[in-house]
């Protein structure tokens, strides 16, 4: 039987995202001289396509659909990401120093969103055939050494290095790399890898991220902006330590995070009312995308956003519950990985807009404006729903 609570929770989140794509885009509509319902109609169309695809995929037999649909997502999106830098400006316009979207008339496509779902499937399919059986065959007394585990996982490390190069260098999108890296790490653990691999991978990831940051002036400035916010917070909370914090001078203060915190504070517990937010009027230029949680908090308050976040956590819970009840190892790893993709994307966005970590430009699953992430996640949830029919009651 299809996991109806998961389907209803995902649909509810899509509807909430549609509502706020209209409420939070008031200033953006004026800025770009767009029609009043421009963002609402586009998000509504993407949401309806996503819901229909989710339901249609959920009704299919997973044993017949998962493999071919997973590989189609993986291969097609990977080829598109490789091709984007070489496409003409009319099709792939450069925005912010990088090409991430393919535009075909009124439709804009971000291949990386579909790649994330395909990547999770690929790891689930490959780990179930190569990694998990080998770990399961070993007794507790004959576990792999760190060297043996590294050799076992070396092909995946090489593949991920290529992915990092494509996404972080060609598309200038380090945030997506962080989400995929964290998902890969936890899926290795789900497949039976040891804590030693966990620690080694974290160290390797930190070094790789540091290398990407120090080789990019844009990322250095973003890191400086985060440190500027952090030193101000330390000075306010612990004035006696303020003199010991290394100072950094910025050409421009990181106003986005500052206004994000103002929006959260202004909303208080119950918000100022749907559509009545003030900080969205030019102070948060990406309020309907990257800063959607801040805009929502101002309008529906901490209580309202907490309810929405709990709904998102419920989606993750249902995915993990399906993972724990299916007998097929591909399904188990896929549902676990999809839950990690959603969870890490939300976590990185929430920590970024609150100034805890540097901003990464990651969309909030289902809630941020953007048709690609809604349709891609809907396909991903649809596959999980089809797998739920094989779960033990």
């Amino acid at each position: 039987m299809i996991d109806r609570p998961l389907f209803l929770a995902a649909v509810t989140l899509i509807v909430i995202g549609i509502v706020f794509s209209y409420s939070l885009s008031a200033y953006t509509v004026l800025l770009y001289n767009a029609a009043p319902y421009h963002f609402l109609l586009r998000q509504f169309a993407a949401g309806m396509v996503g819901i229909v695809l989710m339901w249609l995929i959920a009704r299919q037999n997973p044993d017949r659909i998962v493999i071919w649909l997973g590989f189609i997502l993986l291969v097609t999106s990977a080829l598109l990401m490789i091709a984007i830098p070489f496409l003409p400006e009319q099709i792939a316009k450069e925005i912010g120093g990088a090409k991430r979207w393919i535009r075909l008339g009124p439709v804009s496509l971000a291949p990386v969103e579909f790649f994330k779902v395909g990547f999770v499937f690929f790891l689930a399919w490959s780990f179930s055939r190569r990694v998990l059986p080998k770990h399961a065959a070993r007794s507790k007394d004959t576990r792999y050494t760190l060297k043996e585990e590294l050799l076992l996982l070396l092909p995946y490390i090489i593949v991920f290095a290529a992915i990092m190069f494509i996404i972080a260098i060609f598309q200038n999108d380090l945030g997506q790399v962080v989400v995929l890296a964290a998902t890969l790490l936890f899926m290795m653990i789900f497949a039976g890898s040891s804590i030693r691999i966990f620690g080694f991978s974290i160290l390797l990831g930190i070094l790789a991220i540091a290398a990407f940051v120090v080789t990019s002036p844009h990322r250095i400035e973003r890191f400086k902006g985060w440190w500027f916010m952090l030193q101000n917070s330390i000075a306010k909370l612990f004035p006696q330590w303020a003199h010991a914090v290394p100072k950094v001078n910025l050409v421009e203060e990181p106003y986005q995070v500052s206004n994000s915190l103002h929006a959260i504070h202004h909303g208080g517990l119950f918000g100022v009312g749907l559509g009545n937010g003030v900080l969205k009027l030019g102070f948060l230029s990406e309020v309907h995308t990257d800063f959607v949680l801040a805009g929502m908090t101002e309008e529906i308050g901490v209580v309202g956003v907490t309810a929405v976040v709990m709904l998102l956590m419920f989606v993750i819970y249902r995915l993990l519950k399906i993972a724990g009840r299916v007998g097929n190892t591909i399904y188990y790893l896929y549902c676990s990985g999809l839950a990690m993709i959603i969870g890490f994307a939300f976590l990185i966005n929430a920590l970024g807009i609150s100034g805890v970590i540097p901003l990464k430009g990651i969309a909030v699953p289902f809630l941020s404006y953007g048709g690609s992430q809604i349709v891609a996640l809907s396909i991903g949830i649809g596959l999980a729903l089809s797998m739920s029919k094989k779960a033990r009651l």
Side-chain angles (χ1 to χ4, degrees), residues 68-85:
W68 69 264
L69 183 54
F71 274 114
I72 286 175
L73 284 173
L74 176 72
V75 175
T76 305
S77 58
L79 291 175
L80 288 175
M81 285 197 303
I82 294 171
I84 280 181

Side-chain angles (χ1 to χ4, degrees), residues 41-232:
L41 293 176
R42 291 173 67 89
Q43 192 79 340
F44 177 81
M48 293 304 102
V49 169
I51 291 171
V52 171
L53 285 175
M54 192 192 310
W55 182 246
L56 290 176
I57 295 172
R59 294 175 61 86
Q60 307 304 310
N61 183 345
D63 297 335
R64 295 180 179 178
I65 193 174
V66 168
I67 300 295
W68 69 264
L69 183 54
F71 274 114
I72 286 175
L73 284 173
L74 176 72
V75 175
T76 305
S77 58
L79 291 175
L80 288 175
M81 285 197 303
I82 294 171
I84 280 181
F86 308 102
L87 293 176
E89 189 73 12
Q90 297 85 350
I91 298 177
K93 187 176 181 180
E94 185 173 311
I95 300 176
K99 292 183 177 181
R100 300 176 187 172
W101 294 272
I102 295 175
R103 300 184 185 277
L104 298 173
V107 179
S108 180
L109 185 72
V112 69
E113 298 293 346
F114 297 89
F115 178 80
K116 289 191 294 186
V117 178
F119 182 67
V120 166
F121 159 76
F122 167 74
L123 292 180
W125 173 80
S126 187
F127 281 0
S128 69
R129 293 161 60 91
R130 187 173 185 272
V131 179
L132 198 149
K134 291 186 177 181
H135 281 296
R138 292 258 180 154
S139 66
K140 292 183 179 180
D141 298 328
T142 58
R143 287 180 176 175
Y144 284 108
T145 63
L146 178 60
K147 181 180 178 181
E148 289 174 328
E149 281 196 279
L150 287 174
L151 288 175
L152 179 63
L153 297 169
L154 184 59
Y156 303 101
I157 296 173
I158 294 173
V159 169
F160 189 73
I163 293 170
M164 282 199 303
F165 183 80
I166 293 171
I167 299 178
I169 302 299
F170 283 179
Q171 299 192 3
N172 194 26
D173 196 351
L174 185 58
Q176 299 289 8
V177 171
V178 173
V179 171
L180 290 172
T183 301
L184 170 62
L185 176 59
F186 275 82
M187 288 188 72
M188 288 192 303
I189 301 301
F190 295 149
S193 296
S194 67
I195 298 299
R196 292 170 303 180
I197 282 291
F198 185 85
F200 180 82
S201 300
I202 288 179
L203 177 61
L204 194 65
I206 291 173
L207 293 175
I209 291 173
F212 279 119
V213 170
V214 299
T215 56
S216 170
H218 167 73
R219 295 189 184 113
I220 290 174
E221 286 304 311
R222 181 167 288 188
F223 182 83
K224 285 182 178 179
W226 168 74
W227 182 252
F228 181 86
M229 295 291 298
L230 186 62
Q231 70 183 20
N232 284 348

